[in-house]
Amino acid sequence: MAKLDFVTLRSLSRLFDRQGEISLMRIVIVASEAVPWAKTGGLADVAGALPEALAELGHDVTLILPKYRVTTRVSPHPVATRWRYQVPLGGGQVEGGFSQGVSPHGSVRVLFIEQPQFFDREGIYSAHGADFPDNPARFLFFSRAAIEAIRLADLRPDIIHVNDWHTGILPVYLREFYGNIPELAHAAVVMTIHNMAYQGRYGQWVVPLGELPWQLFDWRALEFYGQINFLKAGLVYAQKITTVSPTYAREIQTPDYGHGLDPLLRHREADLHGIVNGVDTVVWNPRTDPQIAHHYDTKSFSEGKSACKLALQKELGLPERPDVPLLAQIGRLDPQKGWDLLLPVASEALARDAFQLVVLGTGQWHYQEALTNLEKKFPKNLRAVMQFSPGLAHQIEAAADLFLMPSLYEPCGLNQIYSQIYGTIPIVRRTGGLADTVIDPVDATAKKPATGIVFDHADQAGLKWAIERGIKLWHDKPSRDAMIVAGMSHDWSWRRSAVDYLKVYESAMSAWVHG
Ligand code: ADP
């Protein structure tokens, strides 16, 4: 295992700087989850991959994460450090530490914030379907502890990049309490919104809990309709704001998608950028994926995918039928993902025996129940696996013919991208990142060939129409193959997105210096 060496990394960075080969930045990314250490959703994919892509472009990158119980089960194992610090919380002091490790590719320094009472427990944000009641305390602590770790490890960042509500309060602490420490005050802050719906809203008791000044309990700062709003805090204090697709960046400025923060985002429109997520193309690659039954590429996908489909049908006990398309959906069982449209439409369509459907997801109980009942009704056409299983997700992406994402909103969405990489045609609603990453035949041009089916209206008729188009397309092999090749040939790597983030970082630094 590569051992982290701060000194070597730092001197290497300075060398590059002096030679002027690379305009080096010292970047610290702070997140509540990142692959491979902890994951509940797309944030973890971004926080795992973006730091490595930035480091590969020559920058000095540190990722700061909580050390959850699940984190310690993942290698490479972090190395304990001697540093301790105190975080003022609710009138007392909470002691923390941090251990250090490196990312799987060895290019990113990772600091794991240690506080066993807060993080050494089963679950990341919740247990048995209920959020931990001390989540505000946990993430107030984490945000301030991250600043302490930056100081103690002498990281001197140019950029601190925070993500979602969990770290929204970090820039507040940074500016209000650490403004007189030059190596911290120097840092510009960028905040990324991965999902507007989760804002971290809590009662005003959070003000004394976080030892925050009462004057910040104001609509121009942290207050939001009588509550504290962690996401809003970050949006007010960050120099630049990003979200995970250009369409979502526009949508969240409207009342329908802004969840009450749209006026603030309209106010900050000039500082708000949409950058579509990349994909870890080492992990998601049908040519090499160790989790799938057969490997394939743009030339061999017909045979490769047929073999994967057969293997999945066998594994899930579905009839081995090459003659009907296999549809799939992977993700949280949540209204956001369009389940209130999908369940009635699927129920009606499955009766016609025109396709098989595989669902992999965990989430709301009533959707699980509905899927169980539907599976009982159509045992030859539907398999619903209510687990969180990354391995099965890979197998499904390789095996499926069509992938359903009828989301009501979708900041970026990853599975429609994984689908294209694996030659699975996505059927998506025109919203957020889905609109930015899937091209319908109607919108296709010579330079931007069609890669999927896109429908506009979030109603059952819209979804039904889209599924029918998808099935018709599947039966038309030349059109289907052209679409598959277009999707598989696209460059979905993180490098492109990382370059866009660097531009935002540069503008944040300039805004902080000149603003
Ligand atoms: P969101 O962040 O809204 O949940 P995304 O599509 O952006 O949705 O990312 C979800 C990520 O989590 C994807 O990598 C997806 O494959 C994965 N995922 C979601 N549910 C499951 C599951 N039950 N098993 C395996 N992977 C899952």
Side-chain angles (χ1 to χ4, degrees):
M1 184 189 75
K3 192 165 180 308
L4 180 75
D5 182 343
F6 281 175
V7 179
T8 311
L9 272 174
R10 179 64 53 74
S11 47
L12 195 66
S13 312
R14 295 220 165 106
L15 180 73
F16 275 120
D17 231 3
R18 264 205 310 277
Q19 291 180 345
E21 288 173 4
I22 294 167
S23 157
L24 176 97
M25 277 185 230
R26 284 187 288 259
I27 301 160
V28 173
I29 297 176
V30 191
S32 56
E33 56 180 282
V35 166
W37 299 281
K39 169 167 170 170
T40 67
L43 163 61
D45 292 295
V46 178
L50 175 63
E52 296 209 288
L54 291 165
E56 273 156 31
L57 291 169
H59 299 274
D60 178 75
V61 189
T62 304
L63 173 64
I64 304 187
L65 299 168
K67 188 170 168 189
Y68 300 109
R69 185 172 297 172
V70 63
T71 309
T72 56
R73 293 190 199 126
V74 176
S75 67
H77 298 293
V79 178
T81 68
R82 65 190 156 76
W83 284 301
R84 311 296 300 168
Y85 50 83
Q86 302 286 331
V87 168
L89 205 68
Q93 298 282 330
V94 178
E95 193 181 76
F98 63 90
S99 49
Q100 62 190 41
V102 284
S103 59
H105 296 185
S107 53
V108 174
R109 176 190 301 120
V110 190
L111 305 185
F112 298 96
I113 298 297
E114 293 172 328
Q115 214 306 316
Q117 277 173 336
F118 283 149
F119 302 123
D120 184 15
R121 54 174 88 163
E122 288 303 322
I124 294 178
Y125 310 121
S126 60
H128 314 296
D131 282 351
F132 294 130
D134 62 348
N135 274 345
R138 296 170 81 220
F139 292 106
L140 286 165
F141 172 84
F142 174 60
S143 297
R144 196 151 176 180
I147 301 174
E148 291 292 337
I150 291 169
R151 198 164 60 91
L152 290 165
D154 195 25
L155 298 178
R156 298 167 187 254
D158 301 306
I159 288 290
I160 299 179
H161 181 169
V162 298
N163 294 274
D164 275 354
W165 76 264
H166 318 90
T167 45
I169 209 79
L170 187 153
V172 181
Y173 282 135
L174 184 72
R175 300 300 182 223
E176 301 295 335
F177 297 112
Y178 297 85
N180 58 355
I181 301 177
E183 56 272 29
L184 287 171
H186 159 84
V189 174
V190 171
M191 170 161 219
T192 297
I193 305 163
H194 298 263
N195 193 330
M196 248 350 252
Y198 302 93
Q199 299 185 355
R201 296 188 202 170
Y202 298 97
Q204 32 177 300
W205 49 269
V206 166
V207 176
L209 176 69
E211 312 234 342
L212 294 158
W214 273 106
Q215 67 264 28
L216 298 184
F217 193 65
D218 179 283
W219 69 273
R220 280 158 296 210
L222 315 186
E223 190 266 343
F224 182 78
Y225 296 103
Q227 291 188 302
I228 281 282
N229 183 321
F230 281 61
L231 181 68
K232 178 179 175 181
L235 299 179
V236 170
Y237 274 75
Q239 274 61 61
K240 295 286 166 185
I241 301 164
T242 73
T243 188
V244 287
S245 68
T247 299
Y248 195 59
R250 286 192 295 277
E251 287 174 342
I252 56 180
Q253 295 176 49
T254 68
D256 282 351
Y257 293 84
H259 296 268
L261 288 176
D262 43 294
L264 171 59
L265 289 168
R266 286 196 296 279
H267 175 68
R268 298 223 51 193
E269 185 186 6
D271 297 318
L272 172 62
H273 302 268
I275 302 174
V276 169
N277 290 335
V279 159
D280 186 334
T281 45
V282 175
V283 174
W284 293 95
N285 184 347
R287 292 160 200 84
T288 51
D289 189 336
Q291 317 204 62
I292 65 176
H294 288 267
H295 293 151
Y296 55 89
D297 58 19
T298 45
K299 293 204 172 67
S300 57
F301 62 85
S302 264
E303 309 78 56
K305 284 190 69 69
S306 300
C308 290
K309 181 170 168 178
L310 206 65
L312 186 73
Q313 286 168 331
K314 260 192 198 148
E315 172 152 346
L316 297 181
L318 279 170
E320 292 162 30
R321 291 181 64 183
D323 61 309
V324 289
L326 177 64
L327 276 59
Q329 160 40 241
I330 301 168
R332 289 179 292 117
L333 301 176
D334 185 277
Q336 179 200 335
K337 302 291 174 181
W339 281 104
D340 295 315
L341 305 179
L342 190 48
L343 282 168
V345 169
S347 166
E348 197 236 351
L350 284 167
R352 284 187 277 119
D353 193 32
F355 59 83
Q356 292 176 333
L357 173 62
V358 170
V359 173
L360 173 64
T362 53
Q364 294 193 4
W365 177 245
H366 63 284
Y367 294 131
Q368 295 200 31
E369 210 172 22
L371 280 164
T372 307
N373 290 336
L374 211 56
E375 191 182 58
K376 277 189 198 137
K377 207 166 154 194
F378 302 108
K380 292 187 177 151
N381 293 81
L382 172 64
R383 203 55 80 246
V385 183
M386 265 82 84
Q387 290 167 13
F388 194 91
S389 169
L392 190 55
H394 283 244
Q395 290 170 35
I396 293 172
E397 286 291 7
D401 297 301
L402 298 159
F403 195 92
L404 299 169
M405 276 184 92
S407 307
L408 304 185
Y409 70 92
E410 194 62 75
C412 177
L414 290 167
N415 279 307
Q416 83 283 8
I417 302 180
Y418 301 151
S419 294
Q420 290 176 64
I421 294 172
Y422 281 68
T424 302
I425 295 172
I427 298 177
V428 305
R429 195 171 92 75
R430 197 186 303 277
T431 184
L434 300 175
D436 294 329
T437 56
V438 181
I439 302 164
D440 188 90
V442 170
D443 307 311
T445 62
K447 276 197 177 151
K448 289 192 163 184
T451 54
I453 306 280
V454 184
F455 68 101
D456 284 275
H457 300 293
D459 55 30
Q460 290 183 31
L463 176 58
K464 210 171 135 196
W465 173 78
I467 292 177
E468 275 162 17
R469 279 179 73 203
I471 293 175
K472 207 164 147 210
L473 175 86
W474 185 79
H475 285 288
D476 169 6
K477 193 164 172 359
S479 309
R480 170 179 98 192
D481 286 358
M483 214 179 243
I484 289 175
V485 170
M488 287 183 81
S489 308
H490 192 88
D491 174 14
W492 296 108
S493 68
W494 261 104
R495 194 185 165 88
R496 234 170 6 113
S497 314
V499 169
D500 289 341
Y501 274 101
L502 287 172
K503 288 183 198 146
V504 173
Y505 293 164
E506 268 167 14
S507 67
M509 283 160 64
S510 151
W512 183 231
V513 171
H514 300 114

